[in-house]
Amino acid sequence: MASILFVEDDPSARTALELALTRQGHRVTSRATGEDGLEALRARRPEIAILDVMLPGIDGIEVCRRIRRGDPLPVILLTARGDDLDVVLGLEAGADDYVVKPVEPRVLDARIRAVLRRAETRADISAYGDLVIDRASLKVTKAGTDVRLTPTELRLLLELSRRPGQALTRQHLLAEVWEHTYPGDSRLVDACVQRVRAKIEDEPGEPRLIETVRGFGYRFTAP
């Protein structure tokens, strides 16, 4: 089970979800503000953070952005129903997943488990030019320098690179990496691809490793 940092300013929602997640076996540390959440994170690093977007003071997207400056900690955002802007901003900030409020505890628990499973993979090492993927140690290096990837970004890169030259649909990647099936969540794939490109491509604006297959999905091309 996971140790969770849960930041939610609504007392009733916070209490209800904390109780539900605890019943699922998770260890939950809850806070009401982004500032308190960051302080709790510095005191003890959890395995995953769940952040409400609409927090007083520092909002959930900014908390996610600050986490991402130096930590690949998995992050799930809780967003208002139909608020696409929050989703887009959250994904650009580096969130691994999002859940629409009101939150069904079983759905959130499934998303938590899916995020934490993303680091599981087979053991081998692959080199693509100066990009090296070590599937045993779950490390990626470029020109000898470590590439810091979140678990979701790593799982996406592993899935794409496992089938070089093969075009993979967004729905395939969504199912394999996020373990989702809802078509509307395909923007998770696009946002994560952009983040991975920024870290592994020589020219992210003109990608040569992760190519876009227009109207279909993405293809990993080995040099």
Side-chain angles (χ1 to χ4, degrees):
M1 302 304 166
S3 59
I4 299 170
L5 172 62
F6 176 40
V7 186
E8 164 66 70
D9 65 313
D10 184 299
S12 59
R14 185 173 64 250
T15 300
L17 277 177
E18 182 178 358
L19 180 59
L21 291 173
T22 300
R23 286 174 174 169
Q24 294 290 341
H26 301 296
R27 301 181 303 280
V28 183
T29 298
S30 63
R31 294 292 186 270
T33 68
E35 291 87 346
D36 288 346
L38 289 170
E39 183 177 341
L41 179 64
R42 288 189 290 268
R44 171 174 287 186
R45 186 184 187 277
E47 294 174 75
I48 189 169
I50 301 172
L51 311 172
D52 183 32
V53 169
M54 298 300 293
L55 295 172
I58 303 174
D59 65 20
I61 293 173
E62 179 59 23
V63 173
C64 179
R65 189 175 289 115
R66 294 189 186 189
I67 290 173
R68 279 292 169 267
R69 288 174 184 169
D71 194 333
L73 179 74
V75 174
I76 296 176
L77 292 180
L78 305 183
T79 71
R81 182 176 300 278
D83 198 337
D84 290 344
L85 180 59
D86 279 350
V87 172
V88 171
L89 292 175
L91 296 176
E92 290 178 347
D96 295 274
D97 204 347
Y98 68 94
V99 177
V100 175
K101 299 172 74 174
V103 180
E104 168 58 49
R106 288 177 296 179
V107 172
L108 181 57
D109 179 58
R111 296 290 180 93
I112 292 168
R113 295 172 189 271
V115 167
L116 294 177
R117 282 195 295 269
R118 289 172 193 167
E120 298 175 3
T121 185
R122 301 175 300 180
D124 64 275
I125 298 176
S126 302
Y128 309 97
D130 63 359
L131 183 73
V132 177
I133 302 173
D134 186 336
R135 299 176 186 275
S137 63
L138 298 179
K139 290 181 62 178
V140 177
T141 61
K142 182 174 175 61
T145 301
D146 287 343
V147 178
R148 295 179 64 88
L149 297 170
T150 69
T152 303
E153 292 165 357
L154 177 61
R155 184 69 178 267
L156 176 66
L157 179 58
L158 293 175
E159 183 63 26
L160 285 165
S161 63
R162 192 172 286 129
R163 299 172 173 81
Q166 180 178 340
L168 302 178
T169 67
R170 289 175 173 83
Q171 286 304 301
H172 170 88
L173 294 169
L174 190 63
E176 293 297 318
V177 178
W178 284 267
E179 301 180 32
H180 297 188
T181 57
Y182 178 59
D185 283 347
S186 61
R187 55 192 166 185
L188 285 166
V189 180
D190 296 334
C192 195
V193 165
Q194 294 304 312
R195 298 201 305 266
V196 173
R197 280 174 171 166
K199 296 179 180 182
I200 69 169
E201 297 279 4
D202 292 332
E203 297 290 341
E206 299 180 4
R208 302 185 66 181
L209 291 169
I210 302 178
E211 298 179 343
T212 299
V213 182
R214 190 173 298 279
F216 189 80
Y218 298 95
R219 175 174 55 233
F220 188 88
T221 302

